Amino acid sequence: MSGLTGIVACETAISSIENGVLRYRGYTIDDLATKATFEEIIYLLWYGRLPNRLELTALKQDLLESAVLPKKIYDLLHLYEPWGNAMAKLRTCVSFLTHFDDEVMDHSFAADHRKAIRIMARMAAIVAAIERIRTDLEPIEPDAIQFTSLAEMFLWLLKGEKPEPLAAKALDVCLVLHAEHELNASTFASRVTVSTMSDIYSGIVSAIGTLKGPLHGNANEQVANMLEDIGDISRVEEYIAGKIARKERIMGFGHRVYKHGDPRAKYLKELAKELGEWRGDTRWYDMSAKIEQLVFAKKGLMPNVDFYSASVYTYLGIPRDLFTLIFAISRTSGWMAHILEQHDNNKLIRPRAQYIGKKHDQWLPIEDR
Ligand code: SDX
């Protein structure tokens, strides 16, 4: 069995997936999706318990004050052609942030937590700046406006105007749902990187590069491409039958761990329906619901976190090639929790490999090759 399927690679107290139930620090995703804000999730993941009102206010203030970017980040983004890959821009900008942080190699608990807050807040500001600069708009300075949450800040910085409360709330729920997911590929990559005592920024850059893949975080953008290809609900049946006949992967379906459905999908499905009705155009939701029904009937596969996210982000007016960057903003909270946990009780992560190559008993001098 390849891909380390079923292999337990480390112990963690951050999240669990047992019998199809996802928990962050012991709280079920059902409670968190319906009752928690993203800032409460950040605090819960990093400090191991829910914050009281004072702690939550302090964290939110720290985050919103830390979102201001070094101006050279904007200069860097101006070097890119507008069509440059957005995840690659994010990966490069986070790497460049190292240059402005004099605590990079200080792995103390206090320094790690200060860096975690800076990186968490700046991820959202960078994604908004990517969009503003590639559309010839000036980035909006995060300290120019009083925001009430990272979700509201992101939408405001992205679109240049205060978001509707429903939109900010919907994005906040998406950030809660995408925050953490045990030892997924990008989280594992971040732990391997910092287990060498490399810096936190390198851990996040490794994670961004890993999340970029279509089998992991980029599936949400691929789902949107599929919905656009299909175009109309009348074409769904023929389109899905074709993909199945050609044995092609249907993006947004299946999961390595969940074999009876991703518990996050139902909340994203509800959001997609609510936002579609709010926008007065439920086409993408309707097509998605029909695809879900068909793929389950024909392949026994159920939607994962990426499937309905495509419709939600589209209804929120987020450009399609930024969907995976939204995932990265949210999962920075989970990546950071795992990096802090790894640093707290570090052991270099270095597994073994089964050699299946040739054996050569005798050296062959070059003249005989
Ligand atoms: C995320 O790990 C995480 O936690 C990730 C994530 C998180 O929160 O971090 O949950 C986020 O990355 C969700 C997954 C997003 N990716 C996609 O939606 C891409 C499409 N999905 C698949 O490629 C697949 O389902 C995976 C990669 C998600 C999981 O694949 P596995 O566990 O490696 O399963 P597999 O590839 O061995 O497939 C088992 C069978 C195969 O059939 P056979 O070849 O044995 O006949 O199921 C089939 C696959 O062909 N299958 C699919 C399918 N997913 C599995 N067939 C069609 N479409 C699919 N989507």
Side-chain angles (χ1 to χ4, degrees):
M1 183 73 85
S2 62
L4 298 184
T5 300
I7 299 292
V8 175
C10 74
E11 291 180 342
T12 181
I14 298 167
S15 70
S16 63
I17 305 172
E18 276 152 12
N19 308 317
V21 178
L22 170 61
R23 285 182 169 84
Y24 299 171
R25 299 283 188 185
Y27 294 92
T28 67
I29 198 66
D30 298 297
D31 270 342
L32 298 173
T34 53
K35 297 172 183 137
T37 62
F38 182 50
E39 286 79 4
E40 284 177 297
I41 296 298
I42 293 171
Y43 194 100
L44 176 64
L45 292 175
W46 295 0
Y47 303 104
R49 61 175 174 81
L50 286 169
N52 62 34
R53 196 177 299 281
L54 213 59
E55 291 161 335
L56 181 59
T57 304
L59 173 66
K60 207 178 275 190
Q61 191 175 341
D62 284 349
L63 286 166
L64 295 172
E65 284 172 0
S66 304
V68 177
L69 296 173
K71 296 301 163 279
K72 288 193 173 171
I73 291 287
Y74 299 150
D75 299 338
L76 173 65
L77 285 171
H78 277 293
L79 292 175
Y80 275 97
E81 301 299 337
W83 41 260
N85 179 279
M87 275 293 274
K89 290 179 185 177
L90 176 63
R91 191 186 57 208
T92 306
C93 287
V94 172
S95 202
F96 193 33
L97 281 178
T98 314
H99 185 61
F100 308 95
D101 192 325
D102 53 18
E103 293 191 303
V104 174
M105 292 315 284
D106 178 345
H107 300 320
S108 65
F109 180 92
D112 271 357
H113 282 251
R114 283 192 295 271
K115 284 177 281 184
I117 285 179
R118 282 196 285 274
I119 296 170
M120 183 69 249
R122 291 177 171 183
M123 288 287 276
I126 289 170
V127 177
I130 287 171
E131 175 62 8
R132 301 285 294 181
I133 287 173
R134 73 179 179 178
T135 51
D136 276 338
L137 295 169
E138 274 309 301
I140 296 166
E141 287 305 331
D143 55 0
I145 300 159
Q146 273 302 319
F147 302 112
T148 58
S149 69
L150 280 176
E152 183 193 56
M153 180 190 85
F154 173 71
L155 289 173
W156 202 326
L157 296 180
L158 182 76
K159 304 168 89 67
E161 58 189 14
K162 184 177 171 58
E164 295 275 339
L166 174 65
K169 174 64 184 152
L171 181 61
D172 195 70
V173 173
C174 289
L175 296 176
V176 169
L177 288 168
H178 284 80
E180 162 62 14
H181 212 240
E182 200 224 57
L183 210 56
N184 60 87
S186 52
T187 296
F188 185 49
S190 69
R191 290 193 79 132
V192 170
T193 301
V194 301
S195 79
T196 70
M197 293 315 284
S198 179
D199 61 285
I200 283 188
Y201 287 87
S202 297
I204 298 294
V205 169
S206 296
I208 293 170
T210 307
L211 187 74
K212 186 169 177 286
L215 294 190
H216 188 12
N218 185 246
N220 50 22
E221 182 180 339
Q222 306 305 323
V223 171
N225 293 338
M226 174 174 71
L227 292 169
E228 185 178 55
D229 283 353
I230 296 172
D232 184 85
I233 195 163
S234 62
R235 292 197 57 244
V236 163
E237 192 134 8
E238 171 207 357
Y239 184 96
I240 295 300
K243 282 192 87 69
I244 292 175
R246 295 188 299 273
K247 291 196 178 305
E248 290 171 7
R249 292 282 160 125
I250 302 163
M251 293 292 126
F253 283 88
H255 199 279
R256 171 63 59 81
V257 179
Y258 298 119
K259 295 307 175 192
H260 303 291
D262 184 329
R264 301 166 292 181
K266 64 173 176 281
Y267 295 105
L268 291 156
K269 181 175 183 177
E270 285 166 14
L271 274 179
K273 185 173 191 298
E274 184 183 2
L275 289 170
E277 288 162 355
W278 173 57
R279 287 280 190 221
D281 177 1
T282 59
R283 270 179 318 120
W284 273 36
Y285 168 76
D286 297 335
M287 281 201 285
S288 299
K290 182 142 178 71
I291 293 168
E292 176 185 359
Q293 185 195 17
L294 279 173
V295 172
F296 182 70
K298 294 176 181 292
K299 292 283 286 183
L301 291 168
M302 298 172 81
N304 55 46
V305 72
D306 291 305
F307 185 60
Y308 284 101
S309 300
S311 300
V312 171
Y313 296 153
T314 300
Y315 288 134
L316 289 176
I318 294 170
R320 186 175 306 171
D321 70 335
L322 297 187
F323 289 3
T324 308
L325 287 80
I326 307 295
F327 195 152
I329 292 170
S330 170
R331 190 54 60 87
T332 296
S333 58
W335 293 333
M336 210 52 91
H338 281 270
I339 287 170
L340 295 172
E341 186 178 68
Q342 183 70 35
H343 267 178
D344 197 32
N345 178 19
N346 188 47
K347 178 87 176 149
L348 176 67
I349 297 175
R350 198 281 187 215
R352 296 300 309 276
Q354 175 72 43
Y355 180 70
I356 56 169
K358 289 188 186 134
K359 286 191 175 41
H360 292 286
D361 300 328
Q362 204 169 352
W363 169 256
L364 205 57
I366 190 136
E367 50 274 9
D368 298 341
R369 289 176 215 159

